[in-house]
Every structure is written in C-alpha cells, then in structure tokens.
Amino acid sequence: MLITYPHMGTLAIVLKALFIGLGRPVLNPPPITKRTMELGTKYSPETVCLPFKVTLGNFIEALEQGADTLVTCGGVGPCRLGYYGEVQKGILEQLGYKFEMIVIEPDIVDVIKQLRKVAYQRSLREIYHAFSVAGAKMNALDTIEQNLTVLRPYETRLADGLWQQAVQAIDEAESISEIHNIVEDTVFQIGRNQCSDHKPLRIGLVGEIYVMLEPFVNQDLVRVLGTMGVEVHKTMYLSDYVRGHLLRKREYLDKYEELFALAKPYLGHYVGGHGLKSIGHTIAMSQENYDGIIQVYPFTCMPEVIAKNILPKVSKDMNIPVLSLVYDEQSGEAGVMTRLEAFIDLLKSRKRFGKVKGL
Amino acid sequence: MEVYLGIDVGSVSTNLVIIDEEGKIGQALYLRTQGRPIDAVQQGLRQIRAINPGFSIKGVGTTGSARHLTGVVVGADSVKNEITAHAVAAMHIIPDVQTVLEIGGQDSKIIIIRDGIVTDFAMNTVCAAGTGSFLDQQAARLSIPIENFGDIALNATAPVRIAGRCAVFAESDMIHKQQTGHPISDILKGLCQALVRNYLSNVGKGKQIKGPVLFQGGVAANKGMKQAFEEALGCEVVIPPHYSVMGAVGAALLAKEEMQTKRKTAFRGFDVADFVCTPRSFECSGCSNLCEIIELKLNGTVAACWGDRCGKWSNKTTTAAS
C-alpha cells in the first residue's frame, strides 16, 4: 500500500504526517506543473471544474510513480465535488491503472471508519497521536500564513523566505513540541520585521476553497497582490474547513450562523460549496472597513456563480468594490494582471478621495 | 519644446501620443502592431523624431497589453493598465464623464466614473465577439474596406437580427442572411446592433450607464456602432476627437503626473528606435514551477528578465523603470 492524495496548498504536508503516523508509506504527488494540468484536462470532461482536472492530474502523476492507494474527499450538497471521487475512479480505471480509492466523506464517523481500514494494526493511542501531529502541522502552517499577511505587502521577499523555511521545517518536524517551536520562532521573526505605521490596502479574499488555497491554480494571487503592496486576508484556511465541516466545532458553527444571518437579505438558503459564505463574508468585511473584496472560483462552479450574480447588489448596498476572478486551464495571466492592477488603482483612488456614496 | 510621451501597445494597434505641459495633444500616431510590438514602437519613435527633431521628452508612460515589455525597451516612468489609462484620458477630455465605453482590437471594457473617481469597471470575459478584430474580419470577408463599414450600415432601412453571442455563430448567421437576399447594409447594421446587445448584456451587465457617455477605442470609428449604442442606451454617445489613441493619451497624462514627484525621466532617448532588441524566452528548470522566462537584450546586453515567480532572474537585472 502506497498512499497518495491531491495537492491543495499545504494539504499534502498534513496528510503525509497523518498517514506516516498511521504507519503507512506515502508518496507525495509531484508538484503541480503545466504537465499536471495537461494530463488532467486531457482525461476530464470539458465543462467540469478546475479542481477536478488538476487533482486528476495529481493522481495520474502519482500512479505513474507507483502509488496504489488514492485518498480523496467526498462531499454533500449541491456542489459537484461530492461526486468527483467516483468519476475520477472510473476515468483512472478506464486508463488501465490498478489502485484502491478511499473517499472520505465530511463526517467524522466516516473518517474514522475509513482510516481504521488504513491503520488496522495501530493502537488507538497511536492513531490519536498521528491525528494530533497532523493537526498541529495544519494549525502551525495556517497560523504562520495568517501572520505573514501583514508582513507581505512591504517585505515580500522576506515573507517568501520565512514561509518557505517554515514549510520545510514543519514538513520535517516529528513532534508536536518541535512544531510549536517553529511557529513561535517564525511568528517572532515576523513581528520583529513588522512596521506599525504602514497602512496598506486591505483586501478580503472570498470564494471557492480549492482555488483560494492552491497557488498554482490561482496564479499566486496572494503573492502577486503582496508585491503590489496589498494586504490579502483569506476567508478560508484548511484548518477552518477541518474544524468547521469535519469536527463541527462550536465556534465555527456559530461563525457560520453569523454569516448566514448577514447574507439572509440576499440569499436565504444554502446553495452548496461556499456561495453563501462568499456573500456573508463580503458583508462582514465591508463592516470591518476592508477596502475591497476579490472573489475567486473555478469556471462552471455553480455555488459561486450564484454568489457572483448577487455580489453586485451587495457591493452597491455595502459600498465596497468587488472583483470576481474566474479560473480555468485557459486563464491568461495578462488578463488577470490588467484587472488586478485596475482594481488596485480603483481602491487607491477611493481611499485617497474618500469613499463615494452610491457606487 | 518639453513634452510627455504616451505609448499604448495593444493587440491590433500601437499608438504614440505627445502632450505638452498643459496636457494638450500635440501629435498622435496610430500604427498597426502586426504581431511585432517592439518594431512598432521603434517605428513610431522614428516618425516622431523625424517630424519634431526639437522635442525634449520629460516623461514616458506606457499602457496596453505590451506595457511591461515596452516600458523596459523605451525606459518608462509610468507603466499602467489600460483601464486606468482610458479613464484618465476620458476625464481629461470631458471632466464630468460618467461612463466610458471602450472597444479595442481584442477586448472591450466599460468604466464607470462618479465624481472623478473610477468606481467600477468590467472587461469582456470569455469571448472576443464584438471587438475590433471580429469587425475587421467580417469586413474583409465581404470585401468592404473597414473605413466604409459604418457608412454602409447607416444606410440600412430594415436591419436584420443577428445572433451576436458568439463570433462563430454571428458569422454563420450573417452568411445565412446574405444567402437569403438581405442587402449588405441591413446585415451590417444588424451586426452592429447584435454586438452592442452583446456588449451591454455581457460587459455592461448590472452597470448603471449614465451620461455623459464616452465611446473610445478603434471601434468608435464605426458610425454604425455609435448609432447602435445611441439607440440601445437612449442617450447621446460622445466620440472624442482622438478616440483611437485614448489609451496613449492616458499613458502620457499618467507620465506627466508621475514626473511631478520625479526629477529625471527614465527614457532612454530616441536612439532606442535604432537599438537592436532581441527578446528570447526559455523555461527555467530551477524548480517545479517551470516558469517561462523572457530575457530582453538591448544592443547585445541583457536589459531585463521577467516571468519568474521567485525572482531568480528578475533580480539579476535592474529594469529601466526602477
């Protein structure tokens, strides 16, 4: 059994720690490249969304290198992702690969059941430890990334360096105390280099989780905006998803209720994926005096298409500019750059001349 | 005379504009890019030098899809996106403008301005139907000089309805109409109406279009398009005198603004027109990103590299703009 899983930002580091802890060898899929995209696109239905294509590419490249067990997530609700595991399995079987596919549904009982299959020789204590280490790595990565948000606009290179260093150290770390030390060190470094009198533009990032978290797919959006001197706040991190959807922690459910209430005048019910949260976050962030919102999602993403068509009204009522960026394998970098530059110019002049009423 | 130079290098045309200290447009050049942006810019510079040998350039601004490349070649003081450039130019011509419609070779945009600030904008997303290139192509198919397109459309008596959602379908629809015997003028007017319909429902979706409305970009030359816009919007659509080079006007104005705080222009001088520019691209194999790096040599020495995510190549050279 050689386990592999798709890439989504730092997800591979977390899953690697988990499965190694459960006593299984893992194979990180090769980093996403143009080849991954080409392979995935070639064997996918044309109108399926980008996450499907890229993760399929990940699987093919990992299978080529000898992986035989694919781990992916399922899902519930109107978003098509819930069915992707099954469809990808069918496609890969038709291509002649021999493998087993483990689809993990967003339900903690199912997670444990599936993972017991993987870790049948391990004691409960060992399983608990594996989860703790993987969880600690996930939280550590997210904490560092969140802290870097405020450093990046004026120390882009330093932020990149600290991030790369921390990612590598966390990937290699074996114990929880080691992970804590890395976080402490990095956060200290960030704090030391921060300048407090700097007031950059603040942009909130809303939309679909995969596009938001995977820099290859969103063309390094957070970094690009960072080099333009903009502070970018993602509304979703891996840890939010795990704590909210998997562990159903109280604070996350409360936060969701809050967003739901905010979005209510515009959208009264769940539409799948993160559509409703995109609207709720836009309203919340306008109240927190963000300068603008960028919505990102893959082409043909149904929940976000619904949100996109509601956002102009929200933008007008809340007096906050919103830019929607749609990604697929055809996305040209030049077009995205032009829109980003123009959006930043717009936000800057608004800031300079005061916010205009009745946008 | 001390002047500012604005260069807009787009997909179809390369425009150079000279403005003076008061922002008055002195000279405007409209050249075809023909897939060779650097050659087009060099040719433009040669023309300006030949006509006005006495000009001293105080600042240079670039815009358009080749703004970064051009910025490095000529040495630009300001490198700005097309939307900002067009908005600045529009406000310069008509200070109380509220809506800018811009249709160029490959893209179309709408810019909403309120109280002198850009409050919203949009660009065509997935399709180039309705942009200059498509009109060019259709005119060529009917062997009508593009300059006469608009006048012929104005002669229409009963414009036909053409599906303008997609360039390919629009073309087959036009052929169908022509084969059933509709006069060319009715078809051309129908095409203009279809493109305007498509523009307003795609690019202009959800935007409050208020007058004064300015229509600029190469397609504004087409009187049929102007008339179709006026019919659809129910208000007057103003076409500024230098409609086809407004991006370059904006770039020049932005350069002028930039030079308020800068001492010396980064402009390499008119000699750039005779430089040997050799760009080359290669795939960096330093990591898994496999970035496509572009390296630009001016007279044999590397002037700039870009395209890398990590800065390995772009840090090696200092760009002229900085």
mmCIF file with all atom_site columns, all heavy atoms in Angstrom, chain B residues 10-28:
data_model
loop_
_atom_site.group_PDB
_atom_site.id
_atom_site.type_symbol
_atom_site.label_atom_id
_atom_site.label_alt_id
_atom_site.label_comp_id
_atom_site.label_asym_id
_atom_site.label_entity_id
_atom_site.label_seq_id
_atom_site.pdbx_PDB_ins_code
_atom_site.Cartn_x
_atom_site.Cartn_y
_atom_site.Cartn_z
_atom_site.occupancy
_atom_site.B_iso_or_equiv
_atom_site.pdbx_formal_charge
_atom_site.auth_seq_id
_atom_site.auth_comp_id
_atom_site.auth_asym_id
_atom_site.auth_atom_id
_atom_site.pdbx_PDB_model_num
ATOM 1   N N   . GLY B 1 10 ? -1.260 47.812 -28.094 1.00 0.00 ? 10 GLY B N   1
ATOM 2   C CA  . GLY B 1 10 ? -2.346 46.843 -27.973 1.00 0.00 ? 10 GLY B CA  1
ATOM 3   C C   . GLY B 1 10 ? -2.169 45.709 -28.964 1.00 0.00 ? 10 GLY B C   1
ATOM 4   O O   . GLY B 1 10 ? -1.164 45.620 -29.668 1.00 0.00 ? 10 GLY B O   1
ATOM 5   N N   . SER B 1 11 ? -3.188 44.855 -29.023 1.00 0.00 ? 11 SER B N   1
ATOM 6   C CA  . SER B 1 11 ? -3.103 43.675 -29.886 1.00 0.00 ? 11 SER B CA  1
ATOM 7   C C   . SER B 1 11 ? -3.073 44.066 -31.349 1.00 0.00 ? 11 SER B C   1
ATOM 8   O O   . SER B 1 11 ? -2.329 43.501 -32.139 1.00 0.00 ? 11 SER B O   1
ATOM 9   C CB  . SER B 1 11 ? -4.297 42.782 -29.629 1.00 0.00 ? 11 SER B CB  1
ATOM 10  O OG  . SER B 1 11 ? -5.485 43.510 -29.863 1.00 0.00 ? 11 SER B OG  1
ATOM 11  N N   . VAL B 1 12 ? -3.881 45.054 -31.724 1.00 0.00 ? 12 VAL B N   1
ATOM 12  C CA  . VAL B 1 12 ? -4.009 45.423 -33.123 1.00 0.00 ? 12 VAL B CA  1
ATOM 13  C C   . VAL B 1 12 ? -3.205 46.688 -33.453 1.00 0.00 ? 12 VAL B C   1
ATOM 14  O O   . VAL B 1 12 ? -2.506 46.744 -34.453 1.00 0.00 ? 12 VAL B O   1
ATOM 15  C CB  . VAL B 1 12 ? -5.495 45.632 -33.490 1.00 0.00 ? 12 VAL B CB  1
ATOM 16  C CG1 . VAL B 1 12 ? -5.631 46.184 -34.897 1.00 0.00 ? 12 VAL B CG1 1
ATOM 17  C CG2 . VAL B 1 12 ? -6.243 44.315 -33.364 1.00 0.00 ? 12 VAL B CG2 1
ATOM 18  N N   . SER B 1 13 ? -3.303 47.700 -32.584 1.00 0.00 ? 13 SER B N   1
ATOM 19  C CA  . SER B 1 13 ? -2.628 48.954 -32.916 1.00 0.00 ? 13 SER B CA  1
ATOM 20  C C   . SER B 1 13 ? -1.634 49.373 -31.839 1.00 0.00 ? 13 SER B C   1
ATOM 21  O O   . SER B 1 13 ? -1.758 49.006 -30.671 1.00 0.00 ? 13 SER B O   1
ATOM 22  C CB  . SER B 1 13 ? -3.656 50.067 -33.116 1.00 0.00 ? 13 SER B CB  1
ATOM 23  O OG  . SER B 1 13 ? -4.191 50.444 -31.870 1.00 0.00 ? 13 SER B OG  1
ATOM 24  N N   . THR B 1 14 ? -0.644 50.106 -32.288 1.00 0.00 ? 14 THR B N   1
ATOM 25  C CA  . THR B 1 14 ? 0.334  50.711 -31.395 1.00 0.00 ? 14 THR B CA  1
ATOM 26  C C   . THR B 1 14 ? 0.202  52.215 -31.571 1.00 0.00 ? 14 THR B C   1
ATOM 27  O O   . THR B 1 14 ? 0.304  52.718 -32.687 1.00 0.00 ? 14 THR B O   1
ATOM 28  C CB  . THR B 1 14 ? 1.746  50.247 -31.771 1.00 0.00 ? 14 THR B CB  1
ATOM 29  O OG1 . THR B 1 14 ? 1.835  48.846 -31.509 1.00 0.00 ? 14 THR B OG1 1
ATOM 30  C CG2 . THR B 1 14 ? 2.808  50.970 -30.963 1.00 0.00 ? 14 THR B CG2 1
ATOM 31  N N   . ASN B 1 15 ? -0.081 52.906 -30.467 1.00 0.00 ? 15 ASN B N   1
ATOM 32  C CA  . ASN B 1 15 ? -0.332 54.337 -30.571 1.00 0.00 ? 15 ASN B CA  1
ATOM 33  C C   . ASN B 1 15 ? 0.670  55.119 -29.755 1.00 0.00 ? 15 ASN B C   1
ATOM 34  O O   . ASN B 1 15 ? 0.995  54.741 -28.637 1.00 0.00 ? 15 ASN B O   1
ATOM 35  C CB  . ASN B 1 15 ? -1.736 54.668 -30.075 1.00 0.00 ? 15 ASN B CB  1
ATOM 36  C CG  . ASN B 1 15 ? -2.774 53.734 -30.644 1.00 0.00 ? 15 ASN B CG  1
ATOM 37  O OD1 . ASN B 1 15 ? -2.708 53.399 -31.821 1.00 0.00 ? 15 ASN B OD1 1
ATOM 38  N ND2 . ASN B 1 15 ? -3.688 53.289 -29.816 1.00 0.00 ? 15 ASN B ND2 1
ATOM 39  N N   . LEU B 1 16 ? 1.130  56.224 -30.333 1.00 0.00 ? 16 LEU B N   1
ATOM 40  C CA  . LEU B 1 16 ? 2.034  57.108 -29.611 1.00 0.00 ? 16 LEU B CA  1
ATOM 41  C C   . LEU B 1 16 ? 1.423  58.506 -29.604 1.00 0.00 ? 16 LEU B C   1
ATOM 42  O O   . LEU B 1 16 ? 0.924  58.977 -30.632 1.00 0.00 ? 16 LEU B O   1
ATOM 43  C CB  . LEU B 1 16 ? 3.419  57.159 -30.268 1.00 0.00 ? 16 LEU B CB  1
ATOM 44  C CG  . LEU B 1 16 ? 4.271  55.894 -30.117 1.00 0.00 ? 16 LEU B CG  1
ATOM 45  C CD1 . LEU B 1 16 ? 3.981  54.914 -31.231 1.00 0.00 ? 16 LEU B CD1 1
ATOM 46  C CD2 . LEU B 1 16 ? 5.751  56.249 -30.083 1.00 0.00 ? 16 LEU B CD2 1
ATOM 47  N N   . VAL B 1 17 ? 1.438  59.135 -28.444 1.00 0.00 ? 17 VAL B N   1
ATOM 48  C CA  . VAL B 1 17 ? 0.852  60.464 -28.328 1.00 0.00 ? 17 VAL B CA  1
ATOM 49  C C   . VAL B 1 17 ? 1.817  61.360 -27.586 1.00 0.00 ? 17 VAL B C   1
ATOM 50  O O   . VAL B 1 17 ? 2.472  60.951 -26.629 1.00 0.00 ? 17 VAL B O   1
ATOM 51  C CB  . VAL B 1 17 ? -0.507 60.399 -27.587 1.00 0.00 ? 17 VAL B CB  1
ATOM 52  C CG1 . VAL B 1 17 ? -0.907 61.765 -27.085 1.00 0.00 ? 17 VAL B CG1 1
ATOM 53  C CG2 . VAL B 1 17 ? -1.585 59.834 -28.492 1.00 0.00 ? 17 VAL B CG2 1
ATOM 54  N N   . ILE B 1 18 ? 1.911  62.602 -28.079 1.00 0.00 ? 18 ILE B N   1
ATOM 55  C CA  . ILE B 1 18 ? 2.743  63.604 -27.423 1.00 0.00 ? 18 ILE B CA  1
ATOM 56  C C   . ILE B 1 18 ? 1.819  64.641 -26.800 1.00 0.00 ? 18 ILE B C   1
ATOM 57  O O   . ILE B 1 18 ? 0.910  65.130 -27.475 1.00 0.00 ? 18 ILE B O   1
ATOM 58  C CB  . ILE B 1 18 ? 3.640  64.312 -28.476 1.00 0.00 ? 18 ILE B CB  1
ATOM 59  C CG1 . ILE B 1 18 ? 4.651  63.338 -29.067 1.00 0.00 ? 18 ILE B CG1 1
ATOM 60  C CG2 . ILE B 1 18 ? 4.299  65.535 -27.910 1.00 0.00 ? 18 ILE B CG2 1
ATOM 61  C CD1 . ILE B 1 18 ? 5.831  63.058 -28.186 1.00 0.00 ? 18 ILE B CD1 1
ATOM 62  N N   . ILE B 1 19 ? 1.996  64.918 -25.525 1.00 0.00 ? 19 ILE B N   1
ATOM 63  C CA  . ILE B 1 19 ? 1.227  66.025 -24.939 1.00 0.00 ? 19 ILE B CA  1
ATOM 64  C C   . ILE B 1 19 ? 2.188  67.047 -24.347 1.00 0.00 ? 19 ILE B C   1
ATOM 65  O O   . ILE B 1 19 ? 3.322  66.714 -23.988 1.00 0.00 ? 19 ILE B O   1
ATOM 66  C CB  . ILE B 1 19 ? 0.234  65.556 -23.848 1.00 0.00 ? 19 ILE B CB  1
ATOM 67  C CG1 . ILE B 1 19 ? 0.973  64.899 -22.673 1.00 0.00 ? 19 ILE B CG1 1
ATOM 68  C CG2 . ILE B 1 19 ? -0.812 64.620 -24.417 1.00 0.00 ? 19 ILE B CG2 1
ATOM 69  C CD1 . ILE B 1 19 ? 0.121  64.755 -21.442 1.00 0.00 ? 19 ILE B CD1 1
ATOM 70  N N   . ASP B 1 20 ? 1.709  68.282 -24.254 1.00 0.00 ? 20 ASP B N   1
ATOM 71  C CA  . ASP B 1 20 ? 2.579  69.330 -23.698 1.00 0.00 ? 20 ASP B CA  1
ATOM 72  C C   . ASP B 1 20 ? 2.294  69.510 -22.206 1.00 0.00 ? 20 ASP B C   1
ATOM 73  O O   . ASP B 1 20 ? 1.494  68.784 -21.610 1.00 0.00 ? 20 ASP B O   1
ATOM 74  C CB  . ASP B 1 20 ? 2.423  70.637 -24.481 1.00 0.00 ? 20 ASP B CB  1
ATOM 75  C CG  . ASP B 1 20 ? 1.018  71.206 -24.379 1.00 0.00 ? 20 ASP B CG  1
ATOM 76  O OD1 . ASP B 1 20 ? 0.256  70.755 -23.493 1.00 0.00 ? 20 ASP B OD1 1
ATOM 77  O OD2 . ASP B 1 20 ? 0.676  72.085 -25.193 1.00 0.00 ? 20 ASP B OD2 1
ATOM 78  N N   . GLU B 1 21 ? 2.930  70.487 -21.627 1.00 0.00 ? 21 GLU B N   1
ATOM 79  C CA  . GLU B 1 21 ? 2.828  70.734 -20.189 1.00 0.00 ? 21 GLU B CA  1
ATOM 80  C C   . GLU B 1 21 ? 1.382  70.984 -19.747 1.00 0.00 ? 21 GLU B C   1
ATOM 81  O O   . GLU B 1 21 ? 0.996  70.675 -18.618 1.00 0.00 ? 21 GLU B O   1
ATOM 82  C CB  . GLU B 1 21 ? 3.715  71.936 -19.839 1.00 0.00 ? 21 GLU B CB  1
ATOM 83  C CG  . GLU B 1 21 ? 4.196  72.019 -18.413 1.00 0.00 ? 21 GLU B CG  1
ATOM 84  C CD  . GLU B 1 21 ? 5.104  70.850 -17.993 1.00 0.00 ? 21 GLU B CD  1
ATOM 85  O OE1 . GLU B 1 21 ? 6.193  70.685 -18.591 1.00 0.00 ? 21 GLU B OE1 1
ATOM 86  O OE2 . GLU B 1 21 ? 4.719  70.137 -17.078 1.00 0.00 ? 21 GLU B OE2 1
ATOM 87  N N   . GLU B 1 22 ? 0.541  71.536 -20.650 1.00 0.00 ? 22 GLU B N   1
ATOM 88  C CA  . GLU B 1 22 ? -0.860 71.813 -20.307 1.00 0.00 ? 22 GLU B CA  1
ATOM 89  C C   . GLU B 1 22 ? -1.762 70.599 -20.558 1.00 0.00 ? 22 GLU B C   1
ATOM 90  O O   . GLU B 1 22 ? -2.963 70.667 -20.337 1.00 0.00 ? 22 GLU B O   1
ATOM 91  C CB  . GLU B 1 22 ? -1.408 72.994 -21.125 1.00 0.00 ? 22 GLU B CB  1
ATOM 92  C CG  . GLU B 1 22 ? -1.155 74.347 -20.475 1.00 0.00 ? 22 GLU B CG  1
ATOM 93  C CD  . GLU B 1 22 ? 0.267  74.810 -20.697 1.00 0.00 ? 22 GLU B CD  1
ATOM 94  O OE1 . GLU B 1 22 ? 0.657  74.894 -21.876 1.00 0.00 ? 22 GLU B OE1 1
ATOM 95  O OE2 . GLU B 1 22 ? 0.976  75.047 -19.705 1.00 0.00 ? 22 GLU B OE2 1
ATOM 96  N N   . GLY B 1 23 ? -1.189 69.530 -21.066 1.00 0.00 ? 23 GLY B N   1
ATOM 97  C CA  . GLY B 1 23 ? -1.993 68.351 -21.371 1.00 0.00 ? 23 GLY B CA  1
ATOM 98  C C   . GLY B 1 23 ? -2.621 68.409 -22.751 1.00 0.00 ? 23 GLY B C   1
ATOM 99  O O   . GLY B 1 23 ? -3.494 67.614 -23.088 1.00 0.00 ? 23 GLY B O   1
ATOM 100 N N   . LYS B 1 24 ? -2.204 69.388 -23.562 1.00 0.00 ? 24 LYS B N   1
ATOM 101 C CA  . LYS B 1 24 ? -2.757 69.486 -24.919 1.00 0.00 ? 24 LYS B CA  1
ATOM 102 C C   . LYS B 1 24 ? -2.089 68.450 -25.823 1.00 0.00 ? 24 LYS B C   1
ATOM 103 O O   . LYS B 1 24 ? -0.871 68.269 -25.775 1.00 0.00 ? 24 LYS B O   1
ATOM 104 C CB  . LYS B 1 24 ? -2.517 70.901 -25.483 1.00 0.00 ? 24 LYS B CB  1
ATOM 105 C CG  . LYS B 1 24 ? -3.795 71.527 -26.028 1.00 0.00 ? 24 LYS B CG  1
ATOM 106 C CD  . LYS B 1 24 ? -3.533 72.914 -26.590 1.00 0.00 ? 24 LYS B CD  1
ATOM 107 C CE  . LYS B 1 24 ? -3.273 72.820 -28.066 1.00 0.00 ? 24 LYS B CE  1
ATOM 108 N NZ  . LYS B 1 24 ? -2.287 73.708 -28.594 1.00 0.00 ? 24 LYS B NZ  1
ATOM 109 N N   . ILE B 1 25 ? -2.907 67.798 -26.653 1.00 0.00 ? 25 ILE B N   1
ATOM 110 C CA  . ILE B 1 25 ? -2.371 66.743 -27.505 1.00 0.00 ? 25 ILE B CA  1
ATOM 111 C C   . ILE B 1 25 ? -1.677 67.350 -28.715 1.00 0.00 ? 25 ILE B C   1
ATOM 112 O O   . ILE B 1 25 ? -2.298 68.063 -29.515 1.00 0.00 ? 25 ILE B O   1
ATOM 113 C CB  . ILE B 1 25 ? -3.490 65.779 -27.941 1.00 0.00 ? 25 ILE B CB  1
ATOM 114 C CG1 . ILE B 1 25 ? -4.086 65.118 -26.681 1.00 0.00 ? 25 ILE B CG1 1
ATOM 115 C CG2 . ILE B 1 25 ? -2.981 64.725 -28.906 1.00 0.00 ? 25 ILE B CG2 1
ATOM 116 C CD1 . ILE B 1 25 ? -5.432 64.507 -26.871 1.00 0.00 ? 25 ILE B CD1 1
ATOM 117 N N   . GLY B 1 26 ? -0.376 67.104 -28.814 1.00 0.00 ? 26 GLY B N   1
ATOM 118 C CA  . GLY B 1 26 ? 0.398  67.702 -29.888 1.00 0.00 ? 26 GLY B CA  1
ATOM 119 C C   . GLY B 1 26 ? 0.415  66.819 -31.118 1.00 0.00 ? 26 GLY B C   1
ATOM 120 O O   . GLY B 1 26 ? 0.160  67.272 -32.229 1.00 0.00 ? 26 GLY B O   1
ATOM 121 N N   . GLN B 1 27 ? 0.701  65.572 -30.904 1.00 0.00 ? 27 GLN B N   1
ATOM 122 C CA  . GLN B 1 27 ? 0.793  64.691 -32.053 1.00 0.00 ? 27 GLN B CA  1
ATOM 123 C C   . GLN B 1 27 ? 0.297  63.312 -31.669 1.00 0.00 ? 27 GLN B C   1
ATOM 124 O O   . GLN B 1 27 ? 0.504  62.853 -30.542 1.00 0.00 ? 27 GLN B O   1
ATOM 125 C CB  . GLN B 1 27 ? 2.237  64.599 -32.525 1.00 0.00 ? 27 GLN B CB  1
ATOM 126 C CG  . GLN B 1 27 ? 2.316  63.944 -33.877 1.00 0.00 ? 27 GLN B CG  1
ATOM 127 C CD  . GLN B 1 27 ? 3.754  63.768 -34.322 1.00 0.00 ? 27 GLN B CD  1
ATOM 128 O OE1 . GLN B 1 27 ? 4.682  64.090 -33.599 1.00 0.00 ? 27 GLN B OE1 1
ATOM 129 N NE2 . GLN B 1 27 ? 3.922  63.248 -35.515 1.00 0.00 ? 27 GLN B NE2 1
ATOM 130 N N   . ALA B 1 28 ? -0.392 62.645 -32.587 1.00 0.00 ? 28 ALA B N   1
ATOM 131 C CA  . ALA B 1 28 ? -0.893 61.306 -32.305 1.00 0.00 ? 28 ALA B CA  1
ATOM 132 C C   . ALA B 1 28 ? -0.599 60.399 -33.480 1.00 0.00 ? 28 ALA B C   1
ATOM 133 O O   . ALA B 1 28 ? -0.849 60.758 -34.626 1.00 0.00 ? 28 ALA B O   1
ATOM 134 C CB  . ALA B 1 28 ? -2.393 61.358 -32.045 1.00 0.00 ? 28 ALA B CB  1
#
